[in-house]
Amino acid sequence: MKYVDEFRAADLAQSLARAIAVEARPERSYRIMEFCGGHTHAIFRYGVQDLMPANVSFVHGPGCPVCVLPIARLDNAMELAERHGAILLSYGDMMRVPGSKRRSLLKAKAEGADIRMIYSTQDALKIARDNPGKQVVFFGIGFETTTPPTAVAIQQAAREGLKNFSVFCNHVLTPAAIGHILSSPEHDDAGDARIDGFLGPSHVSSIIGSKPYEEPARHFKKPVVIAGFEPLDVMQSALMVIRQLNQGRAEVENQYTRVVTREGNRKAQALVNDVLELRDTFEWRGLGFVPNSALKIRDTYATFDAEKRFEITPSSAKDVKGCECPAILRGVKQPLDCKLFGTICTPENPMGSCMVSSEGACAAYWSYARHREGLPVPEDEEEFGEEDA
Amino acid sequence: MTAQKPKTRFTTRLDIARGSVEMTHGGGGRAGAQLIDELFRRHFDSEGLRQDSDQAQLARPSGRIAISTDSHVVSPLFFPGGDIGKLAVNGTVNDVAMAGAKPLYLSVGFILEEGYPLADLDRIAASMAAAAKEAGVAIVTGDTKVVERGKGDGVFISTTGVGVIPDGVELLPRRIQAGDAILINGSIGDHGVAILSKRENLEFDSEIVSDCAALNGLVAAMIAAVPDLHCLRDPTRGGLSAVLNELAVASRTGMVVDERAIPVKAQVQAACEFLGLDELNIANEGKLVAFCPGDKAEELLAVMRAHPLGAEAAIIGDVVEDSRALVRMKTQLGGERVIDWLAGEQLPRIC
């Protein structure tokens, strides 16, 4: 396919692999955090790690939109459908994420709640128009990439005077998360989970530009390369990070020039700014409460804010005991460090969010890379039989 | 299919153009008999149906029998490249054909929703008759039930197929062994993407058409050329990834496929990119995966390519020894990864 296959070409991958092998100094190691789940997915889906020298490794970051949503907020969303009888609309990836008591939106739907999967906020508005007698709530999640469509929907609903439409807003911000990760002692040069540099979010940067990463790069002295999501983008960006490290630089560089500019999409920024504003603090699964890391709906649009329209019970839900999603989302642990991984936690039976989304590190390990990991071999027929069922 | 219209035994003829399914059509009374007479029988004609009995009484074929049942609940009922009727015939014909059998008979069960337009039901029956004729199978018996409005999705169709396996043919998962070649008869994902694009109103420059087709003719040609074929399987729900994983587990082997060798249409690849889906997990309705001894692969490939339903056939990989029964793929980039079963329903990614 044109404009896609070019970014997955084997010959170019081989020459990038050779360039990385030449650039990476044998006396040191390079630990590069790919912030986004999209990068994690590409690394595993295309076997990028196979082409890297042994001293270059990827540390998987928290940039999986459904993974970082805390269980409490997911419980709140279910409550909107179940207790308040609203039609709850969600992007597909969110549907299987387990909330407390391991109930997901799919399970709540099966039990009778009106929860529907949509592809765009325009579908959400249509459903609201088609169901004037019902409250319709859009479950807004994701990073800066998915925020503008939410803002557009709210503006549009305001213009149309849609009285039954609201948004449960959970949009989060990436630069704050990167800063938060880097201020944690576990990521120090002396810490267990040292991070030398970042592959920065690219679709996020198509909206916010590369500029917002300049401050954390400077402050924490870590190179950030805004990296596209195709495997060759990832490899070229890794090379750029390694080169910066070798030259003692810690700058924001943009590999994804075909989409991202320093300033980003001003129109989208203005739109978001009109409808949404910073929250003082917001909980991220794995990172805990992070100041200035999320958005809420401005008072001028308060009527479209589901948190104001409905009474929402505070939930103090906790992750499943033993689930290492929080440490995995911080890049401190790897999926194999979790004793639930591949034993009771699989994509069919996820205990934590990282096993649900294809952008989650655990799902990526399990689905694409378990040939490497020497996982236990099923021993008897029964175990095979179970898989077959 | 009978050309002449049967004379009606009923006071007024069934109004196929304007009428709709009513509860009485499933009530066992005269209305049901009329629906069968004037709609289904007008399209389906066979020795079995002409017996006017609750079952079809048929001569015993010689040889081993293959039998398979499949239920069809597709939405939308009409899609580019087919409809639920064509799907219900071909789906079961293919399940029987995957045993290497020649499909002979079909039994059909309809579950109709009250209010469903008879004109659409008529189109579905016509499509089933045409598909059955093309596949060379006879619809010999059937059943119709009606559920209240809101309790069905228009039409559900269950079909059971019976076929006879030629002597000396034994296609079973346990015959798959290390050294076998893995072949496919064409591009993957066409059916699932055709359905999805229709369901979600996604419009592409060129329409993606379902690959829905009866594969028994292709299978007969393959068996004639390579009688020592080890196994065939149609990658329907769950796609190629599910079939390879199922068969790896059943045969206790590993499989290694080459991403670059697997045919995918550009529009299907584009739709998958766009929706965040993996074409390996997407349903096909006119594809088969074949396992044969490695030294017969080229011969089999040539036979497949000579058939209209195998023009884009390809050798996509090999069976290897692997007690973990892993399915691996050499990626187009030059790396390697596992191909896993699809977990749950395939859901689009967010960004």
Side-chain angles (χ1 to χ4, degrees):
Chain A
M1 191 172 62
K2 223 168 151 45
Y3 309 126
V4 170
D5 288 337
E6 291 88 337
F7 295 98
R8 299 173 187 171
D11 50 343
L12 291 176
Q14 293 300 336
S15 40
L16 271 171
R18 280 191 296 273
I20 291 170
V22 169
E23 185 70 42
R25 293 179 183 156
E27 70 274 13
R28 64 159 293 176
S29 64
Y30 299 84
R31 292 172 48 85
I32 303 171
M33 174 176 268
E34 84 278 6
F35 183 88
C36 286
H39 291 136
T40 310
H41 183 80
I43 288 166
F44 286 99
R45 165 81 174 70
Y46 298 97
V48 172
Q49 187 70 59
D50 291 344
L51 302 175
M52 292 286 144
N55 59 337
V56 175
S57 55
F58 293 105
V59 181
H60 317 304
C64 156
V66 307
C67 300
V68 295
L69 188 83
I71 284 182
R73 299 289 288 188
L74 177 55
D75 285 356
N76 292 158
M78 278 189 254
E79 187 188 0
L80 289 170
E82 294 185 313
R83 189 160 74 87
H84 297 290
I87 300 176
L88 181 74
L89 307 173
S90 167
Y91 291 135
D93 242 13
M94 200 65 229
M95 298 291 282
R96 291 196 300 121
V97 176
S100 51
K101 300 192 181 117
R102 299 195 39 242
R103 287 183 78 238
S104 61
L105 295 179
L106 270 185
K107 280 193 182 147
K109 177 176 188 276
E111 287 165 18
D114 194 344
I115 298 173
R116 306 181 194 178
M117 186 182 89
I118 55 165
Y119 289 87
S120 92
T121 54
Q122 293 302 308
D123 298 342
L125 292 174
K126 182 174 186 304
I127 291 170
R129 283 181 214 115
D130 293 347
N131 295 274
K134 297 274 285 184
Q135 286 292 324
V136 174
V137 181
F138 172 61
F139 189 8
I141 66 149
F143 299 104
E144 292 90 333
T145 330
T146 48
T147 308
T150 301
V152 170
I154 292 174
Q155 279 187 345
Q156 214 170 327
R159 270 200 307 275
E160 291 178 28
L162 268 180
K163 296 215 176 334
N164 62 330
F165 177 76
S166 59
V167 172
F168 181 42
C169 183
N170 295 276
H171 290 291
V172 286
L173 304 171
T174 51
I178 287 187
H180 185 82
I181 289 171
L182 286 175
S183 30
S184 148
E186 55 198 9
H187 294 298
D188 277 357
D189 288 352
D192 296 340
R194 192 189 83 227
I195 295 170
D196 298 320
F198 281 91
L199 302 187
S202 51
H203 289 164
V204 163
S205 291
S206 70
I207 307 294
I208 66 171
S210 60
K211 197 174 157 190
Y213 301 102
E214 290 172 2
E215 205 283 314
R218 200 167 31 234
H219 186 264
F220 295 101
K221 301 187 179 60
K222 304 285 181 190
V224 176
V225 174
I226 308 298
F229 283 122
E230 292 298 329
L232 291 186
D233 291 325
V234 171
M235 293 181 72
Q236 189 182 25
S237 302
L239 176 61
M240 290 165 77
V241 170
I242 293 166
R243 204 165 269 162
Q244 280 204 46
L245 289 166
N246 287 352
Q247 295 170 356
R249 292 185 289 130
E251 297 162 13
V252 175
E253 288 182 311
N254 180 14
Q255 180 274 340
Y256 200 39
T257 49
R258 61 189 187 275
V259 176
V260 171
T261 60
R262 181 166 180 266
E263 302 297 332
N265 181 339
R266 296 254 177 104
K267 201 170 168 187
Q269 291 164 18
L271 185 79
V272 169
N273 192 41
D274 174 56
V275 180
L276 305 172
E277 63 182 347
L278 263 187
R279 285 180 197 264
D280 294 338
T281 185
F282 192 74
E283 189 188 359
W284 292 52
R285 187 182 255 192
L287 306 185
F289 283 91
V290 181
N292 302 322
S293 69
L295 297 171
K296 64 179 179 186
I297 297 169
R298 284 188 187 276
D299 282 344
T300 37
Y301 292 97
T303 163
F304 300 101
D305 189 344
E307 288 180 76
K308 298 197 170 122
R309 185 175 296 193
F310 303 98
E311 183 205 344
I312 295 175
T313 324
S315 160
S316 55
K318 294 274 186 304
D319 284 297
V320 172
K321 204 173 162 216
C323 170
E324 296 283 10
C325 275
I328 291 164
L329 286 166
R330 293 200 304 279
V332 175
K333 289 195 173 176
Q334 297 279 337
L336 280 180
D337 299 331
C338 177
K339 55 183 185 295
L340 307 186
F341 177 82
T343 53
I344 60 168
C345 183
T346 62
E348 284 76 19
N349 187 36
M351 295 289 148
S353 55
C354 302
M355 192 53 106
V356 175
S357 170
S358 61
E359 295 173 66
C362 294
Y365 260 71
W366 178 258
S367 301
Y368 295 140
R370 65 183 192 275
H371 61 296
R372 296 201 192 106
E373 310 296 356
L375 289 174
V377 179
E379 277 169 10
D380 50 35
E381 285 291 340
E382 263 178 27
E383 244 173 294
F384 269 91
E386 248 177 35
E387 274 223 59
D388 214 7
Chain B
M1 210 164 79
T2 47
Q4 80 276 23
K5 288 181 179 172
K7 278 184 189 153
T8 184
R9 296 187 275 129
F10 307 94
T11 334
T12 50
R13 289 188 61 83
L14 191 65
D15 187 354
I16 291 177
R18 284 177 299 273
S20 51
V21 172
E22 295 166 19
M23 290 308 293
T24 50
H25 286 134
R30 191 166 281 149
Q34 187 178 17
L35 181 74
I36 290 164
D37 247 34
E38 295 183 16
L39 196 148
F40 291 126
R41 278 212 190 163
R42 201 157 50 78
H43 296 292
F44 311 150
D45 179 50
S46 68
E47 187 198 331
L49 286 174
R50 282 194 297 268
Q51 290 165 351
D52 281 326
S53 189
D54 275 353
Q55 73 297 117
Q57 300 173 21
L58 307 162
R60 186 173 61 193
S62 66
R64 288 159 63 230
I65 281 179
I67 179 164
S68 184
T69 292
D70 210 342
S71 297
H72 302 269
V73 296
V74 67
S75 168
L77 296 169
F78 297 88
F79 49 83
D83 56 65
I84 190 170
K86 184 178 178 186
L87 199 62
V89 169
N90 289 341
T92 296
V93 162
N94 290 346
D95 283 345
V96 170
M98 292 306 115
K102 176 180 163 48
L104 299 173
Y105 307 119
L106 281 183
S107 165
V108 182
F110 289 94
I111 295 177
L112 310 175
E113 185 183 0
E114 181 186 18
Y116 190 71
L118 290 179
D120 285 351
L121 186 61
D122 194 59
R123 277 171 71 198
I124 291 169
S127 164
M128 292 181 80
K133 189 175 173 196
E134 198 173 330
V137 293
I139 296 172
V140 292
T141 186
D143 175 58
T144 307
K145 295 282 188 301
V146 179
V147 294
E148 282 168 33
R149 190 185 281 273
K151 293 192 172 170
D153 197 5
V155 179
F156 297 144
I157 306 177
S158 241
T159 47
T160 298
V162 178
V164 58
I165 304 171
D167 285 343
V169 172
E170 192 186 24
L171 302 183
L172 285 169
R174 66 163 182 263
R175 292 199 61 213
I176 296 171
Q177 57 192 43
D180 279 4
I182 310 171
L183 295 89
I184 191 159
N185 66 318
S187 62
I188 60 168
D190 301 3
H191 175 75
V193 170
I195 295 285
L196 200 66
S197 54
K198 184 87 180 167
R199 195 184 292 174
E200 306 299 341
N201 281 321
L202 303 171
E203 288 182 13
F204 298 97
D205 281 350
S206 54
E207 190 176 50
I208 298 167
V209 175
S210 166
D211 58 348
C212 182
L215 295 167
N216 51 328
L218 173 64
V219 171
M222 290 166 70
I223 288 175
V226 181
D228 191 27
L229 208 56
H230 286 167
C231 188
L232 294 174
R233 185 66 69 87
D234 51 343
T236 53
R237 268 177 317 168
L240 183 60
S241 58
V243 161
L244 295 178
N245 275 288
E246 271 170 35
L247 295 178
V249 169
S251 61
R252 296 220 158 189
T253 60
M255 299 189 186
V256 182
V257 295
D258 183 348
E259 183 168 25
R260 280 170 295 189
I262 301 171
V264 185
K265 288 196 170 80
Q267 306 99 297
V268 170
Q269 197 194 352
C272 288
E273 284 292 331
F274 178 67
L275 294 169
L277 306 175
D278 191 338
E279 48 269 11
L280 292 169
N281 295 334
I282 295 186
N284 308 277
E285 288 293 343
K287 291 295 163 329
L288 58 78
V289 183
F291 297 81
C292 75
D295 59 357
K296 295 282 196 300
E298 290 296 338
E299 197 181 339
L300 187 62
L301 181 68
V303 170
M304 290 167 77
R305 286 194 172 161
H307 192 277
L309 293 176
E312 294 171 36
I315 299 171
I316 59 169
D318 305 294
V319 179
V320 296
E321 282 182 25
D322 183 353
S323 58
R324 298 170 301 172
L326 285 178
V327 179
R328 289 174 287 157
M329 181 159 89
K330 292 182 212 153
T331 69
Q332 65 185 102
L333 202 70
E336 192 182 84
R337 66 145 162 132
V338 166
I339 297 181
D340 201 16
W341 308 73
L342 171 63
E345 219 180 324
Q346 184 155 243
L347 302 172
R349 288 195 289 136
I350 291 175
C351 64

